[in-house]
Amino acid sequence: MRRPDQQTTTRPTTDPAPGTGTGADADATVDAPPGKGEDQDRHPAGDLTTEAVLAPYLRGQAADFLRSLRLHHEHSAPADAGGHDAAAATRALRRAARRISGSLHTFRAALDPHWADQLRAELAWLSGVLAREHAYANRLTRLVEALHQLSGPALPAARGARAAGETAASDAQGRAALGVGAARAGALLERRLTLARTRSHSAALQALGSSRFHAVADAVALLVSDVPLAPGTTGRTPEALLEPAERAEQRLLAAVAALPPADTEPYNEAQDAAWHQARLLLRLHRYAHEVVLGGAAPALASCGHALDLHRDAVEAAAAAAAAARTPRIAPATAYALGVLHADQRHEVEAARAVFRETWPYATALTAP
């Protein structure tokens, strides 16, 4: 399995564009490998066996899952004082769940397939339930801040510049028209998304108290001491891990190569699915990189962050469009929501541009 910083005769690599920081939004922070650094030791090629690499990795993630669950129980008090710690524990719980689930998917052939499929599905359910409250809160913050920026005061014109003055006046009129509906649009979004967040919080609490969750927790607890490997896995050569990891990488490269070109329409929402798929495949590739090479893939951090921002902007634009379809809202409110939707779609395009600039492989970003 190649690293993004390795030279290769078939797919030479390029360095990320200068000035593109790795960044970290909430989900990217969740996705950071716990306790891992860029300079951590790599697994020697001869030690790439399921017993020496995959089993310890799964046991470590299972231990992180149980540790995060314990912290969540300790800090999930009714008082708001423990809210931040509880949220951090929830993010760590989701992080471990995603890593276990992703590894079960990529390295399924090296594991008991029935057990891997069942646990993977349950962990995906749990991670999805826990993610919704956080997603709605971030979406509301993003949209309210965007509304404020769009409807804020116009910049004054430069002295002695008539054309600039006319432009500033036109800009001020546009902002004034937007400001009429921005406050109501913000209030509408707050009602809708706060209600959705409250329902998601209740659903998460209900899930964490359910027999289904306790069965998942019991299965993860057993994983700490026993990783069910496939028959005949013992003593298998490194190809048992390298080949699935390579397939995960090839699926990612194919998905990126098939992404729509940069000159497509900015409001073509039918293209969003291809970008979401690339994001999921990048995540699986990163997890496989951690298993096989023993650490994170720093060169993929910036483009992973860009795809997270892309997802956030797509979902924020959809929320603005859904709010605009509310029956009997004032025209000014609908106008503000329309402007907000357009702003978020431009953010979608900006995230795609950052991804193209930071993608570390020298592959074409359009299908051949």
Side-chain angles (χ1 to χ4, degrees), residues 248-306:
E249 181 182 61
Q250 292 302 320
R251 286 193 294 268
L252 169 63
L253 295 177
V256 171
L259 288 173
D263 58 353
T264 54
E265 309 85 10
Y267 299 104
N268 191 339
E269 297 174 1
Q271 297 175 353
D272 294 342
W275 288 88
H276 293 330
Q277 179 68 5
R279 175 178 174 272
L280 295 177
L281 291 175
L282 175 59
R283 175 171 285 176
L284 289 176
H285 171 59
R286 290 174 59 196
Y287 296 165
H289 192 289
E290 290 179 16
V291 172
V292 173
L293 296 177
L300 297 175
S302 292
C303 51
H305 176 60

Side-chain angles (χ1 to χ4, degrees), residues 66-130:
L66 298 176
R67 187 180 306 111
S68 302
L69 180 59
R70 184 180 67 252
L71 291 174
H72 184 275
H73 288 329
E74 291 176 356
H75 297 294
S76 294
D80 292 336
H84 177 75
D85 292 332
T90 301
R91 290 194 296 269
L93 189 65
R94 290 172 48 213
R95 176 180 59 202
R98 284 201 307 269
R99 277 175 162 74
I100 297 172
S101 178
S103 300
L104 296 181
H105 173 78
T106 300
F107 303 104
R108 180 180 182 272
L111 302 163
D112 180 310
H114 176 73
W115 167 83
D117 291 345
Q118 186 175 25
L119 182 56
R120 179 166 62 90
E122 292 302 285
L123 288 172
W125 160 76
L126 176 62
S127 181
V129 170
L130 296 179

Side-chain angles (χ1 to χ4, degrees), residues 51-349:
E51 301 97 320
V53 175
L54 180 58
Y57 179 85
L58 289 174
R59 286 197 293 266
Q61 296 301 325
D64 287 346
F65 180 98
L66 298 176
R67 187 180 306 111
S68 302
L69 180 59
R70 184 180 67 252
L71 291 174
H72 184 275
H73 288 329
E74 291 176 356
H75 297 294
S76 294
D80 292 336
H84 177 75
D85 292 332
T90 301
R91 290 194 296 269
L93 189 65
R94 290 172 48 213
R95 176 180 59 202
R98 284 201 307 269
R99 277 175 162 74
I100 297 172
S101 178
S103 300
L104 296 181
H105 173 78
T106 300
F107 303 104
R108 180 180 182 272
L111 302 163
D112 180 310
H114 176 73
W115 167 83
D117 291 345
Q118 186 175 25
L119 182 56
R120 179 166 62 90
E122 292 302 285
L123 288 172
W125 160 76
L126 176 62
S127 181
V129 170
L130 296 179
R132 293 189 189 106
E133 178 185 1
H134 176 77
Y136 283 124
N138 278 2
R139 198 168 306 151
L140 176 59
T141 300
R142 180 188 185 94
L143 289 170
V144 170
E145 290 179 351
L147 268 178
H148 177 73
Q149 293 174 359
L150 291 169
S151 61
L155 294 175
R159 291 182 180 178
R162 179 177 179 181
E166 293 175 353
T167 301
S170 176
D171 185 48
Q173 291 174 359
R175 286 178 180 265
L178 177 60
V180 173
R184 290 183 178 180
L188 175 59
L189 288 168
E190 185 167 1
R191 287 196 302 273
R192 291 172 61 92
L193 293 175
T194 299
L195 177 60
R197 179 185 180 184
T198 301
R199 289 174 174 171
S200 298
H201 179 73
S202 299
L205 292 179
Q206 184 177 3
L208 291 174
S210 67
S211 58
R212 182 179 183 181
F213 170 74
H214 288 298
V216 175
D218 290 343
V220 174
L222 291 175
L223 182 59
V224 174
S225 58
D226 179 29
V227 178
L229 301 177
T233 300
T234 303
R236 190 177 289 185
T237 62
E239 281 69 24
L241 296 181
L242 289 175
E243 290 178 359
E246 179 68 19
R247 285 194 295 271
E249 181 182 61
Q250 292 302 320
R251 286 193 294 268
L252 169 63
L253 295 177
V256 171
L259 288 173
D263 58 353
T264 54
E265 309 85 10
Y267 299 104
N268 191 339
E269 297 174 1
Q271 297 175 353
D272 294 342
W275 288 88
H276 293 330
Q277 179 68 5
R279 175 178 174 272
L280 295 177
L281 291 175
L282 175 59
R283 175 171 285 176
L284 289 176
H285 171 59
R286 290 174 59 196
Y287 296 165
H289 192 289
E290 290 179 16
V291 172
V292 173
L293 296 177
L300 297 175
S302 292
C303 51
H305 176 60
L307 290 181
D308 287 340
L309 292 179
H310 177 274
R311 184 271 321 271
D312 293 344
V314 166
E315 294 180 347
R325 293 192 291 269
T326 302
R328 297 183 298 278
I329 62 173
T333 306
Y335 171 73
L337 290 170
V339 172
L340 182 60
H341 173 267
D343 172 74
Q344 291 303 300
R345 290 306 303 183
H346 284 302
E347 291 294 319
V348 168
E349 290 303 306

Side-chain angles (χ1 to χ4, degrees), residues 17 20 262 275 306 310 346-359 365:
T20 53
W275 288 88
H310 177 274
H346 284 302
E347 291 294 319
V348 168
E349 290 303 306
R352 293 178 181 180
V354 171
F355 174 82
R356 292 186 177 98
E357 293 169 0
T358 57
W359 178 242
L365 292 186

